[in-house]
Amino acid sequence: IHRQLCLLLNAENIFHSMADILLREEDLKFASTMVHTLNTILLTSSELFQLRNQLKDLKTPESRNLFCCLYRSWCHNPVTTVSLCFLTQNYKHAYDLIQKFGDLEVTVDFLTEVDKLVQLIECPIFTYLRLQLLDVKNNPYLIKALYGLLMLLPQSSAFQLLSHRLQCVPNPELMQTADNTKPSTGFKRASSSNIDYTELLQHFEKVQNKHLEARHQRAGRAEQLDRRVVL
């Protein structure tokens, strides 16, 4: 239904509206599930190719505004937030987010989502990201972010997949050319985007603290119910 809506109406407006609604959603578990679903649609649907291109470059004020809007709702799901940063080439912020994962409650569901993100990185959607691994000098935070995901994973098939990919990253000494002083377009775009990444990171922490509190409350209610059943 959502894909059809994006075909019939303006996809950017659809995602903007959904993000605004989910930002006000009080059922945090539902919000996290919805964000995960919307992110999957955004990253994999052929109908949203144009929207992905807009977000990938963040060249216009409208695309930057959409990124910030999506980001605030996407914070309901940590791994989804990182995938949005990968899509928009905000690699330093993705690395900063992964650093925050050490303070989160790591569950089986969380690790499953990291596993799925690693599988997604191998898909055609992220071809440009994999090619940027050739430019080691200008994409250090992309490599650090991928290594961060690797360290989060247990030694599973996804761990082996990402480990093999990172083994293909070339030695920067071998990749030097005569024109090695050319700045990367990614950093130039990020520096001129006027996005307050510090404020976004604080918002991420705030939302995740709410999720932690809600999970503990649900666990407490479940424990009380179990005791009543035993009695």
Side-chain angles (χ1 to χ4, degrees):
I1 292 171
H2 199 82
R3 290 170 65 178
Q4 287 299 312
L5 281 173
C6 289
L7 271 179
L8 299 170
L9 303 172
N10 183 287
E12 183 178 339
N13 290 343
I14 293 290
F15 269 85
H16 208 299
S17 298
M18 291 295 290
D20 283 339
I21 292 168
L22 288 170
L23 191 59
R24 300 190 296 270
E25 177 58 51
E26 294 181 1
D27 186 341
L28 298 181
K29 190 172 183 180
F30 171 76
S32 178
T33 303
M34 277 298 298
V35 161
H36 177 73
T37 304
L38 289 172
N39 187 66
T40 302
I41 294 169
L42 174 63
L43 292 180
T44 61
S45 298
S46 57
E47 294 90 344
L48 295 168
F49 174 78
Q50 193 61 41
L51 185 60
R52 284 196 295 272
N53 277 348
Q54 286 178 242
L55 286 168
K56 188 168 74 173
D57 296 325
L58 295 181
K59 288 180 178 177
T60 65
E62 291 78 16
S63 62
R64 293 193 287 270
N65 181 49
L66 178 61
F67 164 72
C68 291
C69 179
L70 293 178
Y71 181 99
R72 293 177 189 282
S73 291
W74 265 222
C75 284
H76 283 298
N77 189 304
V79 180
T80 297
T81 313
V82 170
S83 70
L84 179 65
C85 289
F86 281 158
L87 174 65
T88 55
Q89 302 184 71
N90 284 302
Y91 301 134
K92 183 181 186 305
H93 194 68
Y95 173 71
D96 290 340
L97 284 172
I98 292 169
Q99 289 287 92
K100 295 291 181 183
F101 284 5
D103 300 325
L104 302 181
E105 185 178 27
V106 178
T107 62
V108 174
D109 289 340
F110 176 87
L111 291 175
T112 301
E113 290 195 17
V114 176
D115 188 298
K116 289 178 180 177
L117 176 56
V118 170
Q119 302 287 344
L120 201 60
I121 288 170
E122 294 297 318
C123 291
I125 301 156
F126 282 117
T127 299
Y128 65 91
L129 181 148
R130 298 195 300 275
L131 287 173
Q132 285 172 348
L133 291 172
L134 291 171
D135 190 1
V136 179
K137 183 178 179 181
N138 288 320
N139 292 293
Y141 286 104
L142 169 58
I143 297 169
K144 284 185 174 185
L146 293 177
Y147 268 111
L149 291 178
L150 187 69
M151 296 308 168
L152 285 170
L153 284 167
Q155 296 200 23
S156 57
S157 57
F159 177 92
Q160 297 297 331
L161 188 66
L162 185 54
S163 177
H164 289 158
R165 173 64 64 186
L166 287 169
Q167 286 173 18
C168 296
V169 174
N171 184 330
E173 298 295 326
L174 300 177
M175 297 298 288
Q176 284 188 354
T177 63
D179 187 21
N180 60 2
T181 58
K182 184 179 179 181
S184 72
T185 55
F187 287 118
K188 187 184 290 183
R189 174 191 55 76
S191 63
S192 62
S193 63
N194 298 322
I195 295 173
D196 188 348
Y197 289 102
T198 302
E199 191 272 332
L200 290 178
L201 198 61
Q202 290 170 351
H203 176 76
F204 173 82
E205 290 177 332
K206 183 179 177 181
V207 172
Q208 283 306 306
N209 285 335
K210 286 183 181 178
H211 276 270
L212 180 61
E213 194 175 318
R215 277 197 298 271
H216 287 171
Q217 287 176 356
R218 285 197 299 270
R221 285 196 294 268
E223 188 177 342
Q224 288 177 359
L225 187 59
D226 289 342
R227 286 176 182 171
R228 288 176 188 173
V229 171
V230 171
L231 293 174

